[in-house]
Amino acid sequence: MTLQSMTGFARSEGSSGRNRFAWELRSVNGKGLDIRLRLPSGLERLEPDVRRLISEKFSRGNLQATLSLTVTETKVEAVLNREALAAVLALREELGDLVDPSPLRLDTLLGIRGLVDIREPEEDEEAIAARDAAILAGLTEALVRLGRMREGEGAALAAVLKGQVARIAELAEVVEADPSRQPEEIAKRLSLQLAALLQEAPTLDRDRLHAEAALLATKADLREEIDRLRAHVAAAGELIDKGGPVGRRLDFLAQEFNRESNTICSKSNSAAVTAAGIELKVVIDQFREQVQNLE
């Protein structure tokens, strides 16, 4: 499976009988799958099938589906209101000699309101079923095209995300290799700090100071944060390679990345480590911003 972005556009057209139709699909980012439909009047019965087809294809994104329908061949038929005609004839017979006894002319009958209705013929059930099937097939075609477009953008995003994950891994190694993390450097720094404290206050308990210094050194160690960063880097790489709807899980990893970078910055006692931590935060923010586009 490949990654998919949540943005895209697709269109498909088709015909059935004397009807032509067109689907337009637009998709943008969303926390879940939000489907908004615009169907012509009289085709509301298709909504359950339309929603089902979209849900089977996508799991996230705000998706708008618009269907337009036009009649390419106009046909009309004259429908006689036989009850009205019977009433007219009965009235003529009732009036007898008061009206012209000659046969009623067609133009006279057509001039009587409600006697003849000129309208488009109604389609039979078989034609309606064929049209509905063609419309749903057209939707399936549009969904395939939209999926291809989202996959294309997803492939481009995958390349960007891999580069950002690689940079996070590089910065973790920068923090790991910084001289300030070497035991002898930590010991030297703490010794200087203890010497300064004892010079200012020689009555302080030396054993207590050494115990507190050891505790501070343990808390300031970045080993756990570096190990977690490496684990998150590996997990992110696996998800990107796996593809499919992994946007939410990558977003969670982005939060974990950010948590570790914050801790590194807060524990840092080296300008180089602080600089690496700040750059980590920048890259992680960029990573999370791109992840928001993924399904």
Side-chain angles (χ1 to χ4, degrees), residues 220-277:
D221 185 42
L222 300 176
R223 167 52 45 200
E224 291 185 7
E225 287 73 19
I226 294 171
D227 288 343
R228 283 195 290 265
L229 272 178
R230 287 171 174 164
H232 298 332
V233 163
E238 290 176 2
L239 286 174
I240 294 170
D241 289 335
K242 176 183 177 182
V246 296
R248 288 181 177 177
R249 281 178 282 180
L250 285 172
D251 184 56
F252 172 77
L253 282 176
Q255 297 177 46
E256 295 301 306
F257 278 139
N258 192 57
R259 183 177 292 110
E260 304 308 330
S261 67
N262 284 337
T263 305
I264 287 172
C265 288
S266 65
K267 285 185 175 183
S268 173
N269 48 35
S270 161
V273 171
T274 299

Side-chain angles (χ1 to χ4, degrees), residues 12-29:
S12 70
E13 299 179 357
S15 62
S16 177
R18 59 195 187 94
N19 298 294
R20 286 197 60 83
F21 62 85
W23 281 103
E24 285 193 356
L25 305 180
R26 288 180 171 83
S27 176
V28 296
N29 296 356

Side-chain angles (χ1 to χ4, degrees), residues 2-10 25-30 32-34 54 57-64 142-158 244-245 293-295:
T2 59
L3 291 179
Q4 283 196 22
S5 76
M6 286 187 285
T7 59
F9 172 82
L25 305 180
R26 288 180 171 83
S27 176
V28 296
N29 296 356
L33 181 60
D34 182 13
I54 295 174
K57 183 68 175 177
F58 304 116
S59 61
R60 289 184 71 193
N62 291 328
L63 195 149
Q64 180 175 300
L143 289 172
V144 169
R145 293 177 180 177
L146 181 61
R148 288 172 183 166
M149 184 173 184
R150 287 172 47 142
E151 287 175 0
E153 292 193 10
L157 283 174
N293 297 316
L294 290 178
E295 182 180 17

